[in-house]
Amino acid sequence: MILQAEHIAKAYGEKKVLKDISIELKAGELVCLLGVSGVGKTTLFNILSGLTLPDSGRILLEGQDITGTAGHISYMQQKDLLLPHKTVLDNVALPLILNGMKKKEARREADQLFERFGLSGTQEKYPDQLSGGMRQRAALLRTYMCGNKVALLDEPFSALDTITKSAMQEWFLKVMEDIQLSTVFITHDVEEAILLSDRIYIMSGSPAVISALLPITEKKPRDREFLLRDEFIEYKRKIKELLE
């Protein structure tokens, strides 16, 4: 087990947001947090990443208590947050530079991964010259360059149109299989959760609890034809029942 959240609770003033939340992530696994908007998924991400301190409970990374300390886990938020005045290559290399690597060496190391992430030819472009899908690829590569073993992805495809989103999901499955980055993924999209996940945690209630855990047993990467199969339809029916 690479990441564990144990009995996490959080309140803001009188409003209780999270109640006794426990989740686990295995090495190389993608686990999804699925729940309605406002249930507390992003609050949990802020606690997992060390940006917010829980009122009770703890976060363990490979058995080490990292509760309330940032920098151990990579965190990609909904917006790509690429710096508009920097080239795509300099944006991607930024985590290496911030960790003390010389700029020339950081650019060279980042450049080696552009082909794997489908970004060849974009190195010297600026973010506003890229499509939404390409910007998200660059943001995911920058997250990977942070060098941490675990990444938190908060609805990275939610702003994309349907066609681009579908293509990005297929691409993402192939890349994650290749780089074996352990990932916790937030989404509101039931189909996306089933397509991408090894396991799905259902968050519900106020304050939020983990109301169900659903393993997705089909081998990955899963193609679009999986969305038409009876197994997928049964997963979707079960999840909607749990959310309701």
Side-chain angles (χ1 to χ4, degrees):
M1 206 64 63
I2 193 168
L3 179 68
Q4 295 164 284
E6 297 182 342
H7 308 295
I8 300 297
K10 182 65 181 178
Y12 293 102
E14 296 296 317
K15 182 174 176 55
K16 295 180 179 180
V17 180
L18 304 177
K19 178 184 177 182
D20 197 24
I21 297 280
S22 294
I23 66 170
E24 296 179 332
L25 177 69
K26 299 174 185 176
E29 186 179 43
L30 189 147
V31 162
C32 179
L33 294 177
L34 184 63
V36 298
S37 181
V39 76
K41 301 185 296 296
T42 298
T43 297
L44 179 57
F45 260 30
N46 288 337
I47 292 171
L48 290 172
S49 66
L51 298 176
T52 299
L53 193 66
D55 296 332
S56 60
R58 62 178 185 164
I59 307 299
L60 301 176
L61 181 65
E62 295 185 303
Q64 177 186 354
D65 192 334
I66 60 165
T67 311
T69 58
H72 298 281
I73 294 176
S74 304
Y75 187 2
M76 179 178 163
Q77 298 176 326
Q78 292 182 32
K79 295 182 179 180
D80 59 64
L81 300 178
L82 297 174
L83 300 175
H85 60 283
K86 288 185 176 291
T87 65
V88 176
L89 180 57
D90 285 334
N91 266 286
V92 169
L94 188 59
L96 300 177
I97 296 169
L98 293 176
N99 282 333
M101 188 179 291
K102 292 183 178 180
K103 183 176 180 180
K104 186 175 180 179
E105 183 181 353
R107 284 171 57 92
R108 182 169 60 250
E109 186 166 327
D111 186 52
Q112 294 174 1
L113 289 166
F114 267 63
E115 183 177 357
R116 179 185 287 184
F117 276 73
L119 290 164
S120 296
T122 67
Q123 286 88 331
E124 299 307 319
K125 292 185 178 181
Y126 288 87
D128 64 359
Q129 296 176 292
L130 301 185
S131 66
M134 294 297 275
R135 288 175 65 105
Q136 290 304 91
R137 291 187 188 211
L140 283 163
L141 177 52
R142 183 181 60 184
T143 300
Y144 179 63
M145 296 304 296
C146 291
N148 299 319
K149 296 180 179 180
V150 175
L152 309 177
L153 306 182
D154 189 349
E155 296 196 84
F157 310 139
S158 61
L160 302 176
D161 63 80
T162 302
I163 295 174
T164 303
K165 184 176 182 178
S166 295
M168 282 294 295
Q169 289 167 343
E170 289 190 26
W171 167 83
F172 177 71
L173 277 173
K174 292 174 183 176
V175 169
M176 296 309 292
E177 187 79 10
D178 184 25
I179 65 177
Q180 286 291 295
L181 182 66
S182 307
T183 308
V184 186
F185 192 101
I186 283 178
T187 184
H188 292 104
D189 187 331
V190 173
E191 292 190 0
E192 181 172 72
I194 299 170
L195 184 67
L196 300 180
S197 303
D198 294 294
R199 293 181 295 126
I200 299 173
Y201 284 99
I202 306 292
M203 289 182 66
S204 61
S206 182
V209 298
I210 299 296
S211 56
L213 172 59
L214 182 65
I216 308 296
T217 58
E218 275 65 28
K219 185 179 178 181
K220 294 197 302 183
R222 302 169 190 136
D223 57 26
R224 306 307 296 182
E225 290 183 4
F226 172 60
L227 302 181
L228 304 175
R229 286 165 48 189
D230 292 340
E231 295 91 335
F232 172 82
I233 295 169
E234 179 59 23
Y235 281 128
K236 189 172 181 180
R237 182 195 63 76
K238 188 169 185 178
I239 289 171
K240 289 196 171 183
E241 283 182 358
L242 291 169
L243 288 171
E244 291 170 358

